[in-house]
């Protein structure tokens, strides 16, 4: 945004320099969420559901066998859906699809590949998401916001110096605005257990708009 000098302006301060500031902080993740499960299909509901339950019980037992606490494994979604084919413009019933997805929480970032390998070896046939997070996300977000405020202050001071005016030490108004881009959570691009899954870095972004009085 182009900084503005405001005179008498309804809704803002009188005689102000308006600026925006952005801040960004990167940090290593220390938590992982993996969403995986099994999809089964059949002409009848009960056989498809039983097959799915057998696979998922085996998956859960195997994950617990890795040392993952049972409370860190939860059902993310469960659905039973009729499936149809379209033949000559007609809807023809094909059977049922049963989908059971688990969310597996890991306290660390190194075990994602092992979890996926183990789950698929015991019946899982879909991995829908891997997300890396930080348990200190609130602190990093606050750091990014502080950096955004400092950025705005630096811009305002530069404008005031160029104009030869005195700037107030504290802005008369500050509001947080949405950063231009970027979610703060890292989504793993690789969904294959045969490829090393790199957690990378988390990026926390913040932006503010500030109004400084000048004289």
């Amino acid at each position: 945004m182009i900084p503005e000098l405001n005179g008498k302006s309804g809704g803002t301060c009188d005689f102000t320099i308006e600026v925006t500031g952005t801040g960004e902080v990167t940090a290593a993740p220390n938590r992982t969420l993996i969403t995986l499960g099994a999809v089964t299909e059949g002409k009848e509901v009960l056989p498809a559901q039983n097959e799915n339950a057998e696979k998922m019980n085996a998956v859960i037992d195997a994950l617990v066998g890795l040392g993952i606490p049972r409370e860190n494994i939860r059902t993310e979604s469960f659905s039973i859906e009729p499936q149809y084919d379209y033949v000559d413009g007609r809807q023809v019933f094909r059977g049922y699809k049963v989908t059971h997805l688990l969310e597996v929480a890991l306290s660390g970032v190194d075990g994602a590949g092992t979890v996926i390998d183990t789950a698929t070896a015991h019946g899982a046939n879909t991995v829908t998401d891997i997300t890396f997070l930080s348990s200190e996300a609130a602190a990093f977000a606050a750091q990014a916001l502080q950096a955004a405020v400092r950025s705005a202050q630096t811009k305002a001071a530069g404008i005031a110096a160029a104009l030869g005016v005195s700037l107030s030490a504290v802005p008369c108004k500050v509001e947080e605005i949405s950063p231009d881009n970027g979610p703060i959570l890292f989504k793993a691009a690789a969904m294959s257990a045969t490829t090393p899954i790199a957690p990378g870095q988390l990026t926390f972004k913040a932006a503010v708009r500030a109004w400084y009085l000048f004289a």
Side-chain angles (χ1 to χ4, degrees):
M1 175 178 178
I2 300 174
E4 294 181 1
L5 277 72
N6 297 319
K8 292 282 186 178
S9 177
T12 62
C13 313
D14 293 341
F15 302 104
T16 60
I17 296 172
E18 178 185 344
V19 291
T20 58
T22 59
E24 182 174 307
V25 173
T26 59
N30 61 7
R31 294 181 56 221
T32 308
L33 292 181
I34 305 171
T35 304
L36 54 79
V39 178
T40 55
E41 295 188 13
K43 286 287 188 182
E44 298 179 2
V45 171
L46 192 57
Q49 189 174 355
N50 287 340
E51 179 187 357
N52 192 286
E54 183 178 344
K55 288 178 181 291
M56 293 307 294
N57 285 331
V59 168
I60 292 171
D61 289 343
L63 295 179
V64 171
L66 289 177
I68 299 173
R70 184 62 182 83
E71 59 269 23
N72 287 11
I73 304 170
R74 71 173 187 87
T75 293
E76 197 274 335
S77 66
F78 178 83
S79 64
I80 300 175
E81 302 170 289
Q83 302 295 295
Y84 299 92
D85 291 323
Y86 289 87
V87 180
D88 297 328
R90 293 186 306 108
Q91 191 179 58
V92 179
F93 177 72
R94 186 174 77 239
Y96 294 93
K97 180 172 76 171
V98 181
T99 304
H100 188 172
L101 297 178
L102 299 175
E103 183 183 79
V104 184
L106 305 179
S107 56
V109 297
D110 297 327
T114 300
V115 167
I116 294 171
D117 281 341
T118 301
T120 54
H122 289 81
N125 57 15
T126 182
V127 180
T128 63
D129 190 53
I130 303 175
T131 301
F132 296 102
L133 312 98
S134 172
S135 58
E136 302 297 325
F140 292 129
Q143 290 177 25
L145 187 58
Q146 291 166 8
V149 172
R150 290 194 295 270
S151 170
Q153 187 175 29
T154 298
K155 286 183 180 181
I159 295 170
L163 295 174
V165 297
S166 298
L167 192 71
S168 60
V170 178
C172 60
K173 180 180 177 183
V174 179
E175 65 179 21
E176 185 176 6
I177 57 178
S178 298
D180 288 339
N181 54 59
I184 67 170
L185 305 181
F186 179 88
K187 298 289 186 177
M191 292 298 175
S192 169
T194 60
T195 302
I197 298 173
Q201 293 281 303
L202 302 179
T203 300
F204 299 83
K205 295 184 178 182
V208 298
R209 180 177 288 112
W211 290 260
Y212 286 84
L213 290 169
F214 69 91

